[in-house]
Amino acid sequence: MPLTRTPMTAVDRAWLRMDTPENPMMICGVLAMDRPISINRLKRTLEERFLRFHRFRQRVVDKGDRAYWQDDPLFDLDNHLHQIALPGDADKAALQKLVSDLNSSSLDFRRPLWQLHYIDNYQGGSALLLRIHHCIADGISLVRVMLSLTDRGPEPRLAKVPARTPTTPPKRSWLQATLHRAVDSVQAANYQTRLFIQSVRNEPEYPLKLASTAGSVAFDLLKLGLAPVEPETGLKRPLCGRKRVAWAEPLPLDEVKACARALGGTVNDILMCTATGALQRHFAAHQEAVPECGLRVAVPFNLRPLNQPIDTLGNQFGLVLLALPVEVRDPIMCFRQVQENMNRLKRSYQAQVTYSLLDLFGRGPDVLERRALHLLSNKASAVLTNVPGPKHALYLAGAEVTQPMFWVPQSGSIGIGMSIFSYAGTVQFGITIDKNIHADPDAVMEYFQESFQALSHAALAGRQGALERRAG
């Protein structure tokens, strides 16, 4: 009996083809836990919660012009779950070294594209390292998947989820398939026509708004194509493919919120400004000239509905290019510039434009995608992600998750990935850097802490001064 194949979407296929030896397209997540856990209990949790997503039982079949998801007839959880232990009195540096090594290693394309390492003997507890290929899903949905393994307390309520039995769709002849696609296209066109007519009846100005939106999209596409390449700095160098990973001690979320209130901005504005300050300090430490035009980072922008079911995988996000004013040294002035840049991007259609480009590249020849990827990756020095996490502490297989962290892959010639993740009243910050880039990941983590403290001090001091002037 032939195995069932499901066509891969064009956007997912675009991320599949971005995989290179220098930049494997993996999302990497680490969960540090306060105690060791039973490997049998972990396996049961994976079988009942992780493997209910059928995609994790499927491997990729790449036929050159098409790619498919196909059930792995030899699927075995033991091919994907590995148990190791750190030697001696392992500290954060030891775990970072292990994560760096595994994050530099590509996944096995003969099997479903994910791997999980259970790591024992980490600071009296344990850790989980999960690597998943980006073609399976984007960061938002994979964080949801990862958190679906957890509970609100140490005692889980595990319910056996019945395994899905793949069904083979009835095979159509060439003529039937052609007629089926034609009918679908006609029905879609009729639906869009009725929707347009109804919109005109309800809102006579709708055609003008539609034309205005189309013009804005075209303008954002033009701006993206004409954006200058990134300035030559030590952060843009040929890549070797070896990754170095580090993460900072978490920031108290209440302090970040207080800083945001004092400056009249959002938590996101504060964190983006803090990342800008960390890069400023990197340039100063290396006595490198700061680019007068600033730096740009590629920021994933979620396009999926927040109420979309967790079972929905795939990639539904676009990329926006955010300018970080590393040339502005005053913390408050830097914040105002970051805030303005963020607000400008929120009003743009850049995320929708880049998503559409990925869809287009995924349908076209590989050489077209490679050239476009080279062009776009030259317009950013790093990838910077910010994903909101749960507000309360979580437990996995009875152990409390003390610190979660994740990294998204960098594409093309980009060799730096920075990630921000909120969890249980804290903000986590991590980084992955190609070894050929002259930047110390541990030092950048310290710069991040220093940058936030400087911004927070300036913001609260300015607010206190304003209150005193009003009282006077």
Side-chain angles (χ1 to χ4, degrees):
M1 178 178 176
L3 295 172
T4 303
R5 289 181 178 178
T6 304
M8 184 179 290
T9 68
V11 173
D12 293 344
R13 183 167 173 255
W15 285 104
L16 173 70
R17 297 196 308 189
M18 286 186 205
D19 202 286
T20 65
E22 296 79 19
N23 269 330
M25 286 292 105
M26 296 182 300
I27 297 175
C28 176
V30 173
L31 299 179
M33 295 174 290
D34 68 343
R35 67 194 68 182
I37 61 178
S38 162
I39 196 69
N40 288 331
R41 185 170 176 180
L42 176 60
K43 281 186 175 181
R44 184 183 172 196
T45 301
L46 292 173
E47 289 169 351
E48 295 177 346
R49 301 188 182 186
F50 189 77
L51 294 180
R52 72 185 180 91
F53 300 94
H54 195 60
R55 185 70 76 233
F56 298 122
R57 296 178 180 270
Q58 296 179 310
R59 63 189 184 94
V60 172
V61 177
D62 193 351
K63 292 295 184 180
D65 58 335
R66 297 292 298 274
Y68 303 88
W69 298 107
Q70 178 176 286
D71 291 353
D72 182 1
L74 303 177
F75 178 82
D76 189 328
L77 181 58
D78 288 336
N79 286 330
H80 300 268
L81 175 59
H82 311 280
Q83 184 176 9
I84 57 179
L86 295 172
D89 298 324
D91 56 6
K92 185 171 80 169
L95 181 57
Q96 287 182 166
K97 183 178 180 181
L98 175 62
V99 175
S100 299
D101 185 52
L102 290 172
N103 212 24
S104 306
S105 306
S106 297
L107 294 166
D108 185 355
F109 276 76
R110 298 171 302 172
R111 297 192 172 101
L113 293 175
W114 64 275
Q115 290 286 319
L116 181 66
H117 285 77
Y118 169 68
I119 305 165
D120 212 344
N121 190 37
Y122 174 59
Q123 294 184 336
S126 59
L128 281 182
L129 168 63
L130 177 63
R131 295 179 298 144
I132 303 177
H133 200 282
H134 210 318
C135 69
I136 293 178
D138 54 40
I140 290 284
S141 60
L142 288 182
V143 166
R144 289 179 180 178
V145 169
M146 203 168 182
L147 296 179
S148 74
L149 303 177
T150 63
D151 299 283
R152 292 289 296 270
E155 294 301 324
R157 294 192 299 271
L158 292 175
K160 186 70 177 178
V161 178
R164 288 179 52 182
T165 303
T167 58
T168 304
K171 191 172 183 180
R172 298 188 181 99
S173 67
W174 175 86
L175 179 59
Q176 288 175 321
T178 302
L179 290 174
H180 183 77
R181 286 195 296 269
V183 169
D184 280 351
S185 299
V186 171
Q187 288 177 341
N190 285 337
Y191 172 76
Q192 293 296 334
T193 301
R194 291 196 305 270
L195 185 63
F196 180 81
I197 294 173
Q198 182 181 358
S199 299
V200 172
R201 288 174 178 170
N202 296 338
E203 190 176 358
E205 295 180 356
Y206 177 76
L208 293 177
K209 290 184 177 180
L210 184 64
S212 175
T213 299
S216 299
V217 170
F219 183 63
D220 282 327
L221 177 60
L222 182 64
K223 284 198 302 183
L224 184 65
L226 297 179
V229 299
E230 277 291 86
E232 290 293 331
T233 70
L235 303 181
K236 293 287 289 184
R237 296 177 60 86
L239 307 181
C240 68
R242 295 299 302 176
K243 308 291 185 181
R244 293 181 296 165
V245 168
W247 54 87
E249 292 302 311
L251 294 175
L253 183 57
D254 286 343
E255 292 185 15
V256 180
K257 289 181 176 179
C259 185
R261 286 193 299 268
L263 292 175
T266 66
V267 168
N268 206 23
D269 295 335
I270 295 295
L271 296 174
M272 293 298 179
C273 182
T274 302
T276 305
L279 293 178
Q280 287 174 346
R281 285 163 172 77
H282 161 77
F283 285 119
H286 285 254
Q287 298 181 341
E288 184 177 355
V290 177
E292 295 181 359
C293 56
L295 291 177
R296 285 192 301 266
V297 293
V299 180
F301 189 93
N302 181 40
L303 296 176
R304 69 174 64 235
L306 294 179
N307 59 351
Q308 190 176 63
I310 187 175
D311 301 71
T312 307
L313 297 178
N315 288 277
Q316 297 183 43
F317 73 98
L319 292 169
V320 297
L321 294 178
L322 173 65
L324 299 183
V326 291
E327 74 282 8
V328 180
R329 297 189 177 277
D330 180 82
I332 303 300
M333 292 180 64
C334 181
F335 170 82
R336 296 299 175 202
Q337 186 63 57
V338 168
Q339 186 180 40
E340 180 181 336
N341 294 344
M342 290 283 290
N343 290 336
R344 188 183 303 116
L345 280 177
K346 291 173 186 176
R347 296 189 297 266
S348 78
Y349 291 92
Q350 198 175 121
Q352 290 85 348
V353 166
T354 55
Y355 179 83
S356 299
L357 288 175
L358 286 171
D359 182 75
L360 177 65
F361 298 153
R363 299 173 191 274
D366 182 69
V367 64
L368 173 64
E369 180 174 343
R370 294 290 177 191
R371 289 177 179 174
L373 181 62
H374 177 74
L375 175 67
L376 292 176
S377 63
N378 281 338
K379 299 179 186 294
S381 293
V383 177
L384 200 167
T385 60
N386 185 2
V387 176
K391 298 179 180 179
H392 49 267
L394 298 174
Y395 293 78
L396 196 155
E400 182 179 354
V401 177
T402 55
Q403 187 173 19
M405 186 45 61
F406 78 100
W407 297 267
V408 297
Q410 304 81 60
S411 56
S413 60
I414 299 176
I416 301 175
M418 296 181 284
S419 61
I420 300 170
F421 185 68
S422 60
Y423 171 72
T426 64
V427 176
Q428 321 288 324
F429 183 68
I431 195 168
T432 176
I433 302 178
D434 188 271
K435 194 174 182 180
N436 212 33
I437 293 176
H438 296 162
D440 182 355
D442 290 305
V444 176
M445 294 300 94
E446 294 180 8
Y447 301 152
F448 185 82
Q449 298 273 350
E450 295 172 4
S451 174
F452 173 74
Q453 295 302 328
L455 178 61
S456 178
H457 177 77
L460 298 179
R463 184 178 186 182
Q464 182 63 33
L467 292 174
E468 291 175 355
R469 286 192 295 272
R470 290 177 187 174

